[in-house]
Every structure is written in C-alpha cells, then in structure tokens.
Amino acid sequence: MRYLARALEAGGTLAAEAKALGGGAPGGARVRQRQLGPTALQYATRIAASSSARGARVAWFPSTRAREDVEGVLKRIRMSPLRSERQRLEAVIMPVEFRRGCPQTVRLDRSFRGFAQTRSFAKLRPEFRTSPTAITLPTDQFRYDKLVPDKAIAVCGPTQLQEPQDPLDEWAPSDQGNAIVVVLESPHEEEYGPDFTPLGPLRRPSSRTRLRGQLPRLLQEAELDWAAVAGSEVILANPVQLQASLHRLMQPNYQTLQHGVRNQVWRALYYLPEIQCDFIQRIMFYRPALIINACTSDLQDEVQTTLEHLRYTVRKVNQHASVRGSNTRFI
C-alpha cells in the first residue's frame, strides 16, 4: 500500500492532507500513526520552511497524535525568519577599551547552539552582523567613557536612613569608609542619557525609592549598630560598569531585557582582569561595613565568590530590593 502526503494552500491556510491509496475497506485504508513515518514529516517540514507556508496550520492528519507531532515541528521551524542565521551564529566579537589606548578584542567564541541564547542575539540590529557566523559590536559600546560610575544615594543617620528629597539625588562616593554597598550587576537602559551618556546606577526613581525603603529593615536584620554606621554612605556599585545587555543595539521591537545576551556578555566582561580588578579596588576603596549582594540570581554566585575573598561582611539577598512588591530578605 502506498501513501501520498501533499500540501494544498488556499486562503492562507496550509492543509497537510494524508490519504490512503488503495482499496479494500470503504473510504480507503485506515492510516495509522506509525504509518505516517519520517517521509511525511520531512515533506511537511519542507513545506513549512517555505515563505508561503509561514503562519499556516495543519488542517488534517489521520490521528490526533500525528497531527500534534507535525504541528510541533512546524511551530519550531516558524519561530523566526532568522532561523538559519541563528543556527550558524558562532561568535560575538567585542572591542573593549577599558582604559585609554588600543582596545582589545574579546570574543564570545563558545558555540551558540543553545536556542534561547542564539535567538536573543538575533534580535540585534542587522548592521552588526559582519558575517554569516559573527556579530561585531561597535567600538564605543565598551569604551572607557561609557562606564557608568558608582553613586552614593543616601546617608545613615544616628537612628534611621537620611533620604534626599529627590529620589535621583546622588553624588560621587567619598573615601570615608564604613559604607553600605549595594552591589547590582550592570547598567541597562535608564542608566544612560542622550547620545549614550553614562549617568548612574539604578536610575528609575521608583526603584530607588523602594530600595531606600527596604534598607533600614535589611540593616537591622544584619545586626548593624546604627551608631556605628552613622554618617556612612549608601553606595550603588555595578561589578560591570558597561551595558552588557546591549540594549541600545537591539532592534526597535526587542527593547526588553534579553537575559541570554546580558548574561553571556556580562561574563565575558567580568572575567577580564582589568574589569574584575577594578571592581575589587572600588570595594576596597569604600571599606564597607556591609556589602549587600543584590545581583541578579543568574550571576549572583559569581559575584559572591569574588566578594568572599575580601575581608568585608557580605550578604546575599533573595531578590533585588527595587523589584515592585518585593520582600527582600537575606539568604
């Protein structure tokens, strides 16, 4: 017995129709799931990969299980018009100029076979695709004049936190020491002004207000003596002071945070000796009474490993204190 799988396109709908040819039983022989086989799947896959089939659906198959299997294949194939570029992407090339001088070239040379990571990088604007297998970032993305500096945002009083009237009030941290340092991860969107001008960490007013609101409770849970930290600054610090999320390079329709991009680029930058040593030097300059590791959970343990090698008290929290409705606590 022979079986024919053919695709009919009508009114924008793909009808994948498998009919049994041959006789015997009225209406033709019954097509079983096992008889659908790889040939029919490959045929349906080839049809779905064509541009005319994008957005189509399977209208009929001889069994519910067979229809679900093929629909799953078609759905995966139709996920993005950039699927072929996604599969071939091998490297992201990043010129990094941490100090004035010649930039060094850093490559994310691990294979991007992971679907989520590769799909995220495919959302970069097409002008950064310098070859079918590589993305090259512009030279000013990771340049020394794009570092977002640490900022002090409050002062500890004798019994409570002294907050500024404007949530965005900030100043360069002093060298008085005994600071409360809140460690984030890297700047994203609002930490930059027009023309990609660096401003400061955590620039959303509501986020800073929530953070300041939860700090007194966290300091109490850490059993800090208010009298001992009176006059100390609360400092926001990013381990990586460059925009690892690549937000400004994304296509207009993909402006939300792409975690697959941020995490991989962040790691490539953080483990550069210049950047990691600079982070350690900044922490030592502040001589903190307490470090609150509020880095995102994907990267928190890597920052914690660095901080635990220093002689300061460091505590991790379960989530960032600026998260809406958060109940941030030490873990």
Side-chain angles (χ1 to χ4, degrees), residues 254-266:
Y254 299 114
Q255 294 295 298
T256 56
L257 177 63
Q258 305 297 319
H259 292 85
V261 170
R262 192 274 313 278
N263 292 350
Q264 293 204 51
V265 174
W266 187 94

Side-chain angles (χ1 to χ4, degrees), residues 198-223:
L199 299 175
L202 201 66
R203 288 286 298 179
R204 183 173 297 175
S206 58
S207 296
R208 284 202 180 179
T209 298
R210 283 193 291 272
L211 174 58
R212 291 188 181 105
Q214 301 212 41
L215 274 174
R217 176 178 54 80
L218 291 174
L219 297 183
Q220 184 177 5
E221 291 178 5
E223 300 180 348

Side-chain angles (χ1 to χ4, degrees), residues 94 104 106 110 239-240 263-277 279 298-306:
M94 312 187 306
Q104 59 177 304
V106 178
R110 67 181 67 181
V240 173
N263 292 350
Q264 293 204 51
V265 174
W266 187 94
R267 289 185 174 107
L269 294 171
Y270 182 66
Y271 291 107
L272 290 175
E274 299 90 340
I275 289 184
Q276 194 167 35
C277 289
F279 173 53
D298 293 338
L299 307 168
Q300 189 177 51
D301 287 342
E302 298 174 55
V303 173
Q304 186 76 7
T305 299
T306 301

Side-chain angles (χ1 to χ4, degrees), residues 102 184 237 250 315:
C102 296
L184 309 174
M250 292 292 173
R315 300 283 300 274

